[in-house]
Amino acid sequence: MKMKFVQITVTLSFLISSCWALNRTWWKHDLTYGIYLKSFMDSNGDGIGDFKGLISKLDYIAGLGIKTIWMSPFNPSPQADGGYDISDFCGINPIYGTMEDFEEFMKEMKKRDLNFVMDLVLNHSSDEHEWFEKSVNRVEPYTDYYVWADPKGYDSEGNPIPPNNWKSIMDFITPSSGWTWNEKRHQFYFHQFLAKQPDFNLRNEQLKTELKNMMKFWLDKGVAAFRLDAVECLMEDPLHRDDIDTESFIKAICAESEMETPRLHHPDTFKFLHELRMFLRQYDRENKKQRETALFGEIYTTVNIKMRYYGTKSAPQTHYPYNYLLTVLRKYLDAEQMIEYLNQWIKKLPKGATSNWALGNHDQGRIFYWFNKEYNSILLSLVTMLPGAALIWYGEETSQELFDFSPDPNKNLYVERDHFRLPMQWDDSLNAGFTSGDKPWVPVHPSYYRSNVKEQLANKNSTLYYFKDLISLRKTETLKFGDLKMYAISKWVLAFTRTFGQSKYVIVLNLGTEPHTANLHAEIANLPTSLEVVAASPNSGFTKGEKFNTILDHRNLSMLRPHSSIVLST
């Protein structure tokens, strides 16, 4: 009896320890729901989403099975770049509510055991920030808070010449200088993005202290993690040496080249990331936090370079850089091509690192815009069933669409991205139930009368319910810890398995535009002749609880409809 008591005690201790570790590293298997606050839910009829509106929809989000919310910046801003031009890092933009509204939002999040990921913009501020105004006037200690430089010289008309050939990322279609002359200070300031977004000089220790204090301000209010914006741009060559030619730079920023450039992925950026990780670790220790504060990175580059942003055991960087492979998929891939495409990330992942998969976002739009609406089930299956964390953009759970309403189709869509940020379609009432006002800040998609949350909640065979099934499955040990194997069952049928102990899930995707059979038994070893359908996309022709034959027979029950997906279980 004594030995049994010892064994039970040890087992219980192990389970408690494992649960603590899972709770602490909540971000490893998490699915994050990305929100553009301005477009989610309007509470006061002014056509702009706000915190009170978001609070009213938290039960909906929690009901999906989601545990984490990320949203784009909500700080005071002139809105030159959708809120990423911040004029007060510790404030709330009045269009979204008050600090009291934010604090109420955090209380309601805590009630539902939801985590909040805050967008962290450390590359730049707005030119209307008081720090920049004081820097222009050389008021200490703000004089060197930004990247300033003298002109290289003057042209024949006496105009100052920029220090080097660095271009603005925001104008890469018709490149313009990343340097803007300030007549008052009589120097150029650098901006990777818009002229209204002057770059911080992150080599200034006083500035870094200010930014860390700002992070602590939000951590004290309950923020669980930060999504660090524009990581590859944080630091540039301090000698301001000329960049590579513009064409090569464009390829580098578009992740089409790994060519070295003085203004992207600078070694000092990695040192700064490690410094931030140590700051967060110290904060957690001092505050005895049970859940680790995480740092995620928005980085647009090749997979090879992106892997460097995980860092090492002795010098960690981000907890993970966002994996945008799926967001930039622009053509149909057959099964073998898809496996090769996914392996670009999977096979290069550092040992012990957490993978992640993202669909659309505020910059990339909604991926199935490039395909068709039915293809969304394929994408939802991939992003939720592959190992690691995941990120989806609001409305993807209902296959919400986007459209280009811009009156000027020749505008640079890298700047004009509001068609990626359309209002959430809640029901079939005026303006999709997003606002009680006459006009939302941007148009609602014309499909709202037939495609909305209310309509899909009333239909058990909807994309929304399929998504909820996928989220529920993600919480099992098999989907958290299971091994991954991928199979090209036929040219257009892709299957992958997640196995943990005796438990196995088989995810089957018809990537093609025609019906295809799936002879799983011929490719996947040790499968029973029949599996149970535990999740099925609305277009699959299957229902939960139905049996799926892994061997072809005369009933042809293994026929998959075009662009459909199912999850099978042993």
Side-chain angles (χ1 to χ4, degrees):
M1 288 295 294
K2 189 174 182 180
M3 288 185 66
K4 287 184 179 179
F5 175 75
V6 170
Q7 183 177 354
I8 291 171
T9 303
V10 171
T11 302
L12 183 59
S13 175
F14 172 76
L15 288 173
I16 292 172
S17 175
S18 298
C19 289
W20 180 87
L22 277 175
N23 188 46
R24 177 161 174 75
T25 57
W26 57 274
W27 47 271
K28 283 192 172 185
H29 311 286
D30 201 47
L31 187 141
T32 300
Y33 189 75
I35 288 174
Y36 198 66
L37 183 58
K38 199 173 184 179
S39 296
F40 198 64
M41 184 65 197
D42 171 25
S43 70
N44 59 9
D46 65 356
I48 295 174
D50 48 48
F51 276 110
K52 286 185 178 179
L54 174 55
I55 291 170
S56 72
K57 296 298 183 180
L58 286 181
D59 284 339
Y60 164 75
I61 295 172
L64 296 175
I66 287 167
K67 302 297 291 182
T68 299
I69 293 173
W70 156 65
M71 70 177 74
S72 298
F74 47 81
N75 311 91
S77 164
Q79 297 288 308
D81 183 24
Y84 283 87
D85 49 320
I86 296 173
S87 56
D88 178 1
F89 285 93
C90 291
I92 302 292
N93 193 323
I95 65 174
Y96 302 132
T98 64
M99 184 61 75
E100 289 73 24
D101 292 335
F102 175 81
E103 290 168 349
E104 180 65 22
F105 162 69
M106 293 302 293
K107 287 179 184 177
E108 294 298 323
M109 292 278 285
K110 188 174 182 179
K111 285 181 185 177
R112 296 163 177 81
D113 195 29
L114 298 175
N115 303 304
F116 179 55
V117 180
M118 182 175 176
D119 226 316
L120 185 64
V121 184
L122 299 186
N123 181 71
H124 53 263
S125 75
S126 166
D127 65 346
E128 297 181 31
H129 196 293
E130 66 171 336
W131 294 350
F132 185 72
E133 293 172 357
K134 290 180 178 180
S135 189
V136 168
N137 291 295
R138 299 183 187 267
V139 175
E140 295 299 342
Y142 307 99
T143 300
D144 296 321
Y145 270 27
Y146 296 85
V147 179
W148 293 98
D150 293 325
K152 186 192 300 184
Y154 295 84
D155 63 20
S156 59
E157 297 179 355
N159 297 313
I161 301 171
N164 58 29
N165 68 350
W166 294 356
K167 303 296 183 183
S168 166
I169 291 173
M170 294 295 260
D171 294 319
F172 66 70
I173 293 180
T174 55
S176 61
S177 178
W179 296 94
T180 290
W181 179 253
N182 183 273
E183 189 64 42
K184 192 168 187 179
R185 177 155 166 153
H186 217 63
Q187 278 188 311
F188 283 98
Y189 67 87
F190 180 63
H191 48 92
Q192 291 272 19
F193 299 95
L194 297 176
K196 288 189 68 62
Q197 295 169 290
D199 268 38
F200 280 133
N201 172 21
L202 292 172
R203 294 183 175 84
N204 184 296
E205 293 300 324
Q206 179 63 32
L207 169 63
K208 289 196 290 185
T209 298
E210 296 246 33
L211 294 174
K212 289 174 185 175
N213 288 339
M214 175 269 291
M215 293 170 68
K216 183 179 183 301
F217 174 86
W218 294 108
L219 288 168
D220 289 346
K221 291 188 179 294
V223 167
F226 292 104
R227 171 207 176 268
L228 186 52
D229 180 67
V231 175
E232 69 272 25
C233 302
L234 289 177
M235 289 196 180
E236 306 84 22
D237 174 26
L239 299 179
H240 296 169
R241 287 170 287 196
D242 269 357
D243 214 335
I244 51 180
D245 63 275
T246 300
E247 183 179 349
S248 298
F249 175 75
I250 291 172
K251 288 182 178 179
I253 198 65
C254 292
E256 297 173 358
S257 168
E258 294 185 8
M259 186 175 293
E260 293 295 325
T261 164
R263 21 178 325 210
L264 300 175
H265 321 294
H266 193 278
D268 289 346
T269 292
F270 295 94
K271 294 177 184 177
F272 179 59
L273 290 175
H274 178 60
E275 186 178 336
L276 291 181
R277 278 293 296 271
M278 294 304 99
F279 165 74
L280 295 176
R281 185 174 294 179
Q282 181 66 23
Y283 179 90
D284 289 351
R285 187 180 297 117
E286 291 175 355
N287 291 273
K288 297 181 173 60
K289 285 190 65 176
Q290 293 188 349
R291 295 185 182 183
E292 181 180 19
T293 302
L295 182 68
F296 312 130
E298 182 214 28
I299 306 153
Y300 287 97
T301 184
T302 63
V303 173
N304 285 334
I305 294 179
K306 194 169 285 194
M307 293 301 163
R308 293 167 54 191
Y309 283 91
Y310 279 99
T312 62
K313 188 174 182 180
S314 60
Q317 313 290 326
T318 64
H319 284 79
Y320 57 72
Y322 283 113
N323 170 10
Y324 294 127
L325 275 180
L326 292 176
T327 71
V328 297
L329 187 63
R330 293 292 183 264
K331 63 180 181 178
Y332 293 125
L333 302 180
D334 64 31
E336 289 187 354
Q337 290 171 334
M338 182 65 81
I339 290 172
E340 183 179 353
Y341 191 71
L342 298 175
N343 273 334
Q344 289 182 59
W345 183 273
I346 294 168
K347 290 194 172 181
K348 292 175 181 175
L349 200 66
K351 185 178 181 181
T354 297
S355 184
N356 73 95
W357 305 90
L359 287 186
N361 61 31
H362 62 298
D363 287 333
Q364 295 292 333
R366 304 181 186 280
I367 180 176
F368 57 91
Y369 171 75
W370 304 97
F371 300 96
N372 62 59
K373 195 170 181 178
E374 299 300 318
Y375 202 71
N376 196 39
S377 66
I378 299 288
L379 301 168
L380 288 175
S381 302
L382 287 172
V383 80
T384 56
M385 297 289 99
L386 289 169
L391 169 69
I392 74 157
W393 192 227
Y394 72 98
E396 285 174 343
E397 72 274 20
T398 60
S399 299
Q400 183 169 317
E401 299 171 86
L402 63 82
F403 73 116
D404 184 9
F405 57 84
S406 171
D408 182 2
N410 297 315
K411 272 190 175 182
N412 181 353
L413 292 183
Y414 193 83
V415 177
E416 299 297 324
R417 290 160 287 168
D418 288 345
H419 63 303
F420 296 165
R421 308 164 184 179
L422 302 183
M424 182 74 169
Q425 294 168 205
W426 293 107
D427 56 42
D428 61 358
S429 65
L430 181 66
N431 294 321
F434 162 71
T435 180
S436 60
D438 294 333
K439 189 176 181 181
W441 75 278
V442 289
V444 173
H445 195 285
S447 68
Y448 75 89
Y449 74 95
R450 59 174 169 79
S451 178
N452 55 69
V453 170
K454 182 180 179 180
E455 176 268 330
Q456 293 211 10
L457 282 173
N459 178 11
K460 295 286 185 178
N461 188 37
S462 65
T463 303
L464 181 58
Y465 276 97
Y466 179 55
F467 177 73
K468 291 176 71 170
D469 287 340
L470 295 176
I471 299 305
S472 179
L473 292 172
R474 276 180 64 85
K475 297 177 181 178
T476 64
E477 288 188 331
T478 306
L479 269 298
K480 284 182 178 178
F481 309 113
D483 291 337
L484 169 71
K485 290 186 178 178
M486 296 186 285
Y487 306 85
I489 302 301
S490 64
K491 180 173 178 60
W492 290 103
V493 175
L494 167 69
F496 59 97
T497 59
R498 301 293 310 281
T499 307
F500 186 73
Q502 299 301 309
S503 174
K504 183 189 294 288
Y505 288 105
V506 184
I507 299 90
V508 189
L509 314 173
N510 180 0
L511 305 175
T513 56
E514 298 177 14
H516 289 282
T517 54
N519 190 356
L520 303 181
H521 205 275
E523 299 294 333
I524 305 175
N526 302 317
L527 273 188
T529 57
S530 179
L531 295 173
E532 182 181 347
V533 178
V534 291
S537 67
N539 59 339
S540 68
F542 289 88
T543 57
K544 285 173 61 177
E546 189 174 348
K547 296 299 180 181
F548 184 95
N549 289 341
T550 61
I551 301 176
L552 295 182
D553 62 16
H554 68 282
R555 291 176 298 170
N556 210 24
L557 291 181
S558 55
M559 180 72 74
L560 278 170
R561 291 177 181 172
H563 292 167
S564 67
S565 54
I566 55 174
V567 183
L568 309 171
S569 175
T570 55

